[in-house]
């Protein structure tokens, strides 16, 4: 089980990635889909899946180097949220990533209402 601080952001690539890619190849994909919007070495997590959906890799900067988490399912696949049509990545919460890693589809989870700060006008 991963324990993640609330300040961490989790980005999921919407297109399947070649699981033969390692640190530098995945970092190049991160830079490609983030552009200049975010620093890939800021400590956020970047999630990639294969075409079949039974393997995923998570890349993150761990203060002094890149770290890689790789999971292969023996049966079934990971359930990722559907991205908007033109999105290159989507952002997940730490709770949703935990659900996905445990084989639970976050879209099918019954959630209780929570406070949502109103949008500011102006």
């Amino acid at each position: 089980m991963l324990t993640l601080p609330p300040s961490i952001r989790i980005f999921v690539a919407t297109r399947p990635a070649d699981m033969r890619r390692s640190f530098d190849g995945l970092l190049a994909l991160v830079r490609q889909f983030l552009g200049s919007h975010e620093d890939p070495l800021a400590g956020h997590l970047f999630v990639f899946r294969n075409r079949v959906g039974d393997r995923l890799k998570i890349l993150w900067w761990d203060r002094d180097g890149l770290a890689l988490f790789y999971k292969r399912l023996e049966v079934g696949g990971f359930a990722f949220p559907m991205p908007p049509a033109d999105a290159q990545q989507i952002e997940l919460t730490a709770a949703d990533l935990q659900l996905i890693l445990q084989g639970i589809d976050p879209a099918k989870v019954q959630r209780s209402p929570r406070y949502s700060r109103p949008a500011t006008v102006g």
Side-chain angles (χ1 to χ4, degrees):
M1 176 183 251
L2 297 172
T3 304
L4 303 172
S7 60
I8 203 157
R9 296 177 72 186
I10 302 165
F11 298 98
V12 178
T14 58
R15 289 185 293 238
D18 183 350
M19 289 292 114
R20 294 174 293 182
R21 288 183 183 244
S22 191
F23 297 97
D24 294 328
L26 292 174
L27 188 59
L29 287 178
V30 169
R31 287 190 170 122
Q32 179 183 336
F33 75 70
L34 280 182
S36 61
H37 302 293
E38 290 288 335
D39 178 11
L41 305 180
H44 303 307
L45 282 89
F46 301 95
V47 181
F48 302 91
R49 64 176 175 81
N50 65 342
R51 188 171 310 281
V52 177
D54 65 344
R55 298 166 193 230
L56 67 76
K57 284 188 176 182
I58 301 173
L59 180 71
W60 76 98
W61 178 259
D62 184 23
R63 284 184 253 154
D64 59 358
L66 287 169
L68 191 62
F69 173 83
Y70 185 32
K71 184 168 184 176
R72 179 189 76 191
L73 296 176
E74 297 302 320
V75 176
F78 295 103
F80 287 101
M82 291 298 295
D86 59 344
Q88 290 190 36
Q89 92 269 348
I90 56 174
E91 193 168 343
L92 293 179
T93 64
D96 284 344
L97 179 60
Q98 290 288 358
L99 292 172
I100 290 168
L101 289 173
Q102 297 199 17
I104 301 168
D105 185 350
K108 296 181 180 177
V109 173
Q110 181 67 33
R111 298 174 189 262
S112 300
R114 295 285 189 241
Y115 172 77
S116 176
R117 189 173 181 172
T120 57
V121 178

